Amino acid sequence: MSDRFLVTGGASLQGKVSVVGAKNSVLKLMAAALLAEGATVLTNCPEIADVPLMADVLRGLGATVTLDGDTVVVDTPAEPKFHADFDAVKQFRASVCVLGPLLARCHRAVVALPGGDAIGSRPLDMHQAGLRALGANSAIEHGCVVAQADSLKGAPIALEFPSVGATENILMAAVLATGVTTIDNAAREPEIVDLCDMLVQMGAEISGAGTSTLTVTGVQRLSPTTHRVVGDRIVAATWGIAAAMTRGDVEVTGVDPAHLQLVLHKLADAGAVVTRLDNGFRVTQRERPTAVNFSTLPFPGFPTDLQPMAIGLAAVAEGMSVITENVFEARFRFVEEMVRLGADARTDGHHAVIRGIPQLSSAPVWSSDIRAGAGLVLAGLVADGVTEVHDVFHIDRGYPAFVEKLSGLGADIRRVAG
């Protein structure tokens, strides 16, 4: 049996909390280290469960990986292996981001279909279509993505949807291709910009980072570098929403508030006083939050990763909220767990309708993914009695020192083994 959290509601979160590097960036940066022979050093890395998992994937490809606190060193050999096996890859989704680097370096890649959170269909069609446009053959064979190309050549590529994963894999393949690649309708997330920044430091030629069109001029080789991982906007926003839900006062540092403009705007709409700082923000909520509607969209829209926290906020807000999920269709399974906690919520297709109540009621609940787990803990903070949150290994994959950070803000939470 996995560990569980016991969360006693009633505390108003107060104080300061810092965030480190983003889960949604560090794993891709580790994969990008495969593009250059030698030792790439990443700093400000989160100490979360997915980092050693990615290290195991890279070790299986011949790299030497050392983890020391918030520093990760990936030493890539002259000839990496090209087969990422099932045992290493099956545990988390981000492992598929080795596909582009392996194709660029080895001209072939065999990557087992990845596992990860149960939040809905995330097919690899756009990944494969982009790689085919660069001249690769790609297919699904025996549970693996198999890609091969004698050489990669730049090409115009238009994505049907601004997929983060597809943008990353195509980008990392294109940096060593011959000629110019344009990626239209590219993802614009800050983590994509972070990847572009590191690739440029390694010697890549990329323009348009942070816009919907990336232009990549291929180079013959890249060199290892040292890079600081961008702050985790999702973790930072989790603490901000927790402050609003518990009518608290929390200062969050270690993140660029420009990466959370819409989120902070929504918190202000809910009645919070939001102060933007040079390296973070402060959220102060004195009264019960006011209901606000949310609609998840790719950046700069409201992040799908924060949808469970938005539902938690709506559950205790005054009035009715409508949350629309436009990215991952299965994320609303979280609502079933919120109903266990007494939330007045129902779903209809891509929409969830929540009528806020003053306080939730404690109950045993189960995490289905990283963000759902964090959202359930936040809900437990505004419930009566003690809420048991099970399967918290999901939370360990995305939130470093989760219990310690919340306890430092005054939450009554403890971890229980088994």
Side-chain angles (χ1 to χ4, degrees), residues 39-203:
T40 289
V41 180
L42 302 175
T43 62
N44 197 39
C45 299
E47 295 184 59
I48 54 175
D50 274 10
V51 168
L53 289 176
M54 178 58 87
D56 286 343
V57 172
L58 299 183
R59 290 181 185 119
L61 297 169
T64 299
V65 185
T66 57
L67 311 177
D68 183 11
D70 72 347
T71 301
V72 174
V73 181
V74 181
D75 196 345
T76 301
E79 296 183 5
K81 299 175 184 177
F82 62 86
H83 191 162
D85 66 67
F86 178 75
D87 286 340
V89 168
K90 67 180 180 181
Q91 301 179 70
F92 65 118
R93 177 72 183 186
S95 55
V96 77
C97 65
V98 301
L99 181 61
L102 290 179
L103 188 60
R105 281 292 308 280
C106 307
H107 301 292
R108 60 187 306 192
V110 179
V111 181
L113 291 174
D117 291 332
I119 56 177
S121 175
R122 296 194 281 185
L124 300 179
D125 295 359
M126 282 187 286
H127 300 243
Q128 294 189 85
L131 298 178
R132 291 186 189 115
L134 295 175
N137 295 315
S138 181
I140 306 293
E141 298 177 6
H142 307 293
C144 295
V145 185
V146 179
Q148 185 170 358
D150 293 334
S151 63
L152 296 175
K153 295 182 174 61
I157 298 169
L159 298 179
E160 297 177 9
F161 177 85
S163 161
V164 171
T167 300
E168 289 163 341
N169 260 325
I170 296 165
L171 173 66
M172 288 189 282
V175 291
L176 292 180
T178 301
V180 178
T181 298
T182 56
I183 307 173
D184 285 318
N185 202 22
R188 300 163 58 188
E189 274 73 1
E191 296 79 20
I192 294 286
V193 177
D194 198 31
L195 175 60
C196 289
D197 288 346
M198 186 175 113
L199 291 172
V200 169
Q201 290 170 214
M202 297 171 75

Side-chain angles (χ1 to χ4, degrees), residues 252-340:
V252 185
T253 58
V255 68
D256 186 345
H259 296 164
L260 289 166
Q261 287 194 42
L262 182 56
V263 176
L264 298 179
H265 178 72
K266 289 289 186 180
L267 288 176
D269 285 348
V273 175
V274 178
T275 307
R276 289 163 176 80
L277 310 172
D278 290 340
N279 189 37
F281 57 90
R282 179 180 177 183
V283 174
T284 305
Q285 183 96 32
R286 297 304 182 196
E287 306 295 332
R288 183 180 172 190
T290 301
V292 177
N293 295 333
F294 296 88
S295 182
T296 68
L297 287 168
F299 189 85
F302 191 85
T304 182
D305 278 353
L306 292 176
Q307 183 239 84
M309 296 70 167
I311 291 174
L313 179 63
V316 293
E318 187 169 1
M320 185 182 76
S321 303
V322 178
I323 284 84
T324 303
E325 176 55 55
N326 294 304
V327 182
F328 292 131
E329 70 278 3
R331 268 219 147 110
F332 277 150
R333 68 177 58 189
F334 171 78
V335 174
E336 299 173 10
E337 299 305 304
M338 287 295 294
V339 170
R340 292 181 193 270

Side-chain angles (χ1 to χ4, degrees), residues 336-355:
E336 299 173 10
E337 299 305 304
M338 287 295 294
V339 170
R340 292 181 193 270
L341 295 172
D344 183 353
R346 62 179 176 83
T347 59
D348 182 9
H350 288 272
H351 307 285
V353 178
I354 296 99
R355 290 176 174 83

